[in-house]
Amino acid sequence: MRIAVISGASSGMGREFVYALDREEHFDEIWVIARRRERLEALQESCRAKIRPLPLDLRERESFRIYRELLEKEQPEIAVLVNAAGCGLFGVFEEMSLEQQLDIIELNDKALTAMCHLSLPYIKKGGQIYNMGSMSSWQPVPYINVYGASKAYVLSFSRALGKEVEKRGIRVMAVCPGWITTEFFEHAVHDDTIQYYNRFYPPEQVIAKALKDMKKGKAVSVLGFPERLQVQLVKHLPTGFIMNTWCKQQGK
């Protein structure tokens, strides 16, 4: 059984990855992971492949036991793994909920790591892994510091993992977009700490670029010339200057 596995599939980037991959390739099933079962089930209306809803909370380690046991039972070939589950919180670090900030690490880093580890035995030559990073992967970001640090982990982990599995013919890519028009902001933004957003991209455009970059064998996908230029600049400019510029943009 040839499948795709997509976390965070109930909304945003995860949901759009479901639609895009279903259009691009043939899968016997697409396993979709998120907490909201009804949203996962609704995906079937727009997909050719059979949708298998897995209503799991990837912040909970019990979810990985369930996923592991399902893999052992079904013995699928995972052709594509997309780790799109994630969350963020914008604001002053010491004023925000500790539990919510720990959830960012649980979902953005620990869950992504677990999904890769559990899935790799079922990924064959030609298999693909997409890990959702961010423009925040490239630099420390005050007032989004836990989220930014979590995405720096995604970038570093993805690059290193990609090197390890390249001899097996498996490709790993970090998708590092700028601001995207998704439900992410409904949960991440709770005050006016972050005021400046330079430009937004639709998730469909980010994913289209990611699919093309994967075919080209790229390790990282960054949509937009201004974003690619920014990546190059932050590699060479002093970190303090980068953070001060960001803070000035936010009126800090």
Side-chain angles (χ1 to χ4, degrees), residues 99-119:
E99 290 303 316
Q100 286 181 293
Q101 296 192 76
L102 293 178
D103 280 347
I104 295 172
I105 300 170
E106 291 289 343
L107 194 56
N108 295 5
D109 296 339
K110 290 185 177 181
L112 179 145
T113 304
M115 289 297 295
C116 287
H117 192 273
L118 293 171
S119 300

Side-chain angles (χ1 to χ4, degrees), residues 36-98:
R36 295 172 285 188
R37 174 183 285 275
E38 67 282 358
R39 285 205 175 190
L40 298 178
E41 292 175 341
L43 293 169
Q44 187 65 75
E45 300 174 6
S46 303
C47 292
R48 301 175 300 168
K50 178 183 177 182
I51 297 297
R52 183 181 296 215
L54 302 180
L56 302 173
D57 185 345
L58 294 183
R59 297 171 300 178
E60 304 294 334
R61 294 199 176 184
E62 174 67 9
S63 297
F64 306 127
R65 181 190 65 79
I66 295 171
Y67 179 61
R68 178 191 292 111
E69 291 179 355
L70 183 60
L71 289 172
E72 292 172 351
K73 176 185 176 183
E74 298 290 346
Q75 292 294 309
E77 175 193 347
I78 301 177
V80 181
L81 169 65
V82 178
N83 286 302
C87 62
L89 199 63
F90 297 177
V92 178
F93 172 75
E94 62 183 322
E95 295 177 359
M96 294 187 292
S97 161
L98 173 60

Side-chain angles (χ1 to χ4, degrees), residues 25-26 64-65 69 74 84 95 137 140 163 168 174 228:
E25 296 190 47
H26 168 77
F64 306 127
R65 181 190 65 79
E69 291 179 355
E74 298 290 346
E95 295 177 359
S137 300
K163 186 62 178 177
R168 291 176 52 192
R228 291 192 292 274

Side-chain angles (χ1 to χ4, degrees), residues 168-221:
R168 291 176 52 192
I170 298 171
R171 286 175 286 176
V172 181
M173 188 171 71
V175 183
C176 296
W179 304 115
I180 317 173
T181 50
T182 67
E183 294 178 17
F184 171 86
F185 291 93
E186 297 178 12
H187 306 285
V189 178
H190 65 280
D191 59 25
D192 61 353
T193 301
I194 303 301
Q195 302 176 15
Y196 173 76
Y197 303 91
N198 50 356
R199 67 188 63 81
F200 281 86
Y201 293 98
E204 298 88 347
Q205 195 172 348
V206 176
I207 293 169
K209 179 73 163 66
L211 295 178
K212 290 179 181 178
D213 287 343
M214 179 65 81
K215 291 177 181 177
K216 295 177 181 178
K218 292 188 176 182
V220 182
S221 178

